[in-house]
Amino acid sequence: MNENLHERAQRLLAESIVEGLRPADETWLREHLAECPGCAREAAAAQNVLQALRTVPVNVPRDLAARTQLRVRLRAQESSTAASGSFWLWVVTAASWLLGVFSAPLVWRGFAWLGANFGVPKLALEFGFVLWWTVPPLLAAAIILHQKALTAEWGNKI
Amino acid sequence: MTDDTQALAIGLRRRDPDLLDRLIEQYQQRLYRYLLFLTGNPALAEDLFQETWIRVLERGAQYNGKSKFESWLFAIARNLVIDASRRKKISSLEDLGDPESNTPYDPPDERATSVLQMLVSRENEQSVQLSLLKIPPYYREVLLLRFSEELGLEEIAAVMATPISTVKSRLYRGLAALKTAMTEGVA
């Protein structure tokens, strides 16, 4: 038996493991292994390695699945709360914007009345009018930032 | 698309918590083993295990049910491993996607292998598994996906986002590398 036959057997052995063999090659390999103890030993060793790979028994940390399930449930809850929270935030923001636009003439008149009756300087009135517009979005931004901080803190605790 | 994968896709789109609980139970051993052997680090494997399921929750709508769920799951886990290796500069994970870069592979230190030794429960199978840690991660990964997870060549190609020819060549080279590592281990 020459060297080429053993090389072919090794090649077919690897092929049989990786992608399977055509029936003719399979028959040839089987016959060769029956006659060649060296190649048969190689084939048996390869099968042992494959068997060990197939049954790699790793001990999963006991509570890993439970911890993961809890974390996934919390995240699901958190995102649905955040989604509904941001929906209401949008509603409130839109309502406050509309109110702001439609009430602007009244507010301006109110500030003018304050100026006329209490002698408030014009600069203070203008500053008050600007605050009337900027306080609601600043409050909304503060609420969003606070919610995000709480969420991050909660996520770190899990 | 089979009825099972279709039902799974619908459940994931709805973010069904009971379905996710079942999947976590069902795939815990396979996913943790994949991550553990890919990273060689039990603590990191645990973190990535949890992150993988968070991603499954968040990106469940992207699973279309046309491929096997495990291929999709392992692809998510693999991307997280790559991200973690970039972030934390884990030496054993460098070049996970690029065996052709051919930088010499530095096997994990003794501490990593001894931790793994504790986690691998059957002594007579330890030599194969410890030899696995001595071969480069891009070979280790295909061997695990093919022989431990029993994925088909096409499924592995989908997980790794590479052509089937690359998967085959890595399998051939990986088997040769494992054989060498085992021979050196015995010697």
Side-chain angles (χ1 to χ4, degrees):
Chain A
M1 211 172 282
N2 63 40
E3 191 60 29
N4 285 339
L5 291 179
H6 298 303
E7 280 174 9
R8 186 182 174 199
Q10 297 298 320
R11 184 175 54 77
L12 290 178
L13 198 57
E15 259 181 55
S16 72
I17 291 170
V18 172
E19 48 192 317
L21 292 177
R22 288 175 304 165
D25 285 335
E26 206 177 316
T27 310
W28 183 89
L29 181 63
R30 202 171 39 244
E31 286 169 3
H32 178 81
L33 293 180
E35 292 167 10
C36 175
C39 289
R41 262 197 307 277
E42 285 269 346
Q47 284 310 318
N48 283 340
V49 170
L50 289 188
Q51 187 54 32
L53 279 173
R54 283 193 186 106
T55 54
V56 175
V58 164
N59 295 326
V60 180
R62 207 170 22 159
D63 57 348
L64 180 61
R67 271 187 287 134
T68 308
Q69 286 166 338
L70 177 68
R71 203 176 148 193
V72 167
R73 274 182 184 265
L74 285 174
R75 177 62 69 92
Q77 213 170 31
E78 202 180 282
S79 11
S80 84
T81 312
S84 83
S86 39
F87 170 76
W88 286 110
L89 200 63
W90 276 108
V91 169
V92 169
T93 306
S96 106
W97 186 79
L98 286 171
L99 275 173
V101 168
F102 290 111
S103 64
L106 287 174
V107 175
W108 182 247
R109 264 186 241 163
F111 276 98
W113 180 83
L114 278 176
N117 290 288
F118 297 98
V120 184
K122 196 182 172 199
L123 189 67
L125 287 177
E126 282 171 356
F127 185 64
F129 191 69
V130 169
L131 280 183
W132 176 264
W133 282 89
T134 50
V135 165
L138 285 175
L139 273 176
I143 291 169
I144 292 169
L145 288 174
H146 180 64
Q147 272 180 342
K148 282 195 173 174
L150 279 182
T151 309
E153 196 183 335
W154 202 22
N156 289 338
K157 278 182 190 166
I158 298 166
Chain B
M1 201 192 289
T2 67
D3 287 350
D4 282 352
T5 55
Q6 200 172 14
L8 203 58
I10 293 168
L12 288 174
R13 212 170 303 138
R14 284 188 193 147
R15 299 158 72 109
D16 178 353
D18 295 329
L19 171 71
L20 280 159
D21 278 359
R22 277 202 306 278
L23 291 172
I24 293 169
E25 284 282 343
Q26 188 182 339
Y27 287 98
Q28 58 172 321
Q29 171 83 22
R30 295 177 67 185
L31 181 62
Y32 181 71
R33 177 172 58 192
Y34 175 67
L35 289 167
L36 181 65
F37 276 92
L38 222 52
T39 60
N41 178 334
L44 181 60
E46 276 194 42
D47 284 351
L48 293 175
F49 180 91
Q50 296 196 5
E51 275 308 310
T52 303
W53 288 108
I54 296 284
R55 288 269 171 109
V56 170
L57 168 79
E58 287 172 348
R59 300 189 182 175
Q62 290 172 9
Y63 176 64
N64 55 17
K66 285 179 187 164
S67 58
K68 270 190 178 176
F69 173 73
E70 49 261 53
S71 306
W72 187 69
L73 179 70
F74 286 125
I76 291 177
R78 182 178 199 272
N79 288 333
L80 286 171
V81 171
I82 292 171
D83 287 349
S85 72
R86 286 186 188 136
R87 218 170 36 239
K88 299 185 178 177
K89 304 256 178 256
I90 306 157
S91 63
S92 64
L93 295 179
E94 280 172 7
D95 308 322
L96 187 64
D98 186 16
E100 277 69 43
S101 68
N102 272 338
T103 46
Y105 174 66
D106 187 18
D109 61 16
E110 290 297 318
R111 201 166 55 88
T113 52
S114 66
V115 171
L116 195 77
Q117 224 153 356
M118 289 186 323
L119 289 160
V120 172
S121 55
R122 271 177 269 173
E123 201 180 333
N124 59 344
E125 282 157 350
Q126 277 179 5
S127 74
V128 173
Q129 287 132 33
L130 295 180
S131 301
L132 258 183
L133 275 188
K134 291 178 187 161
I135 67 174
Y138 37 83
Y139 293 147
R140 193 190 313 152
E141 181 187 29
V142 281
L143 293 177
L144 282 170
L145 289 174
R146 182 77 183 97
F147 302 113
S148 297
E149 306 313 331
E150 300 188 335
L151 296 188
L153 296 175
E154 280 182 21
E155 289 158 359
I156 300 173
V159 170
M160 295 168 52
T162 51
I164 292 184
S165 55
T166 307
V167 174
K168 282 185 193 172
S169 89
R170 285 192 198 176
L171 276 169
Y172 283 118
R173 290 180 193 173
L175 283 169
L178 182 63
K179 191 176 166 187
T180 309
M182 291 187 72
T183 316
E184 283 168 1
V186 170

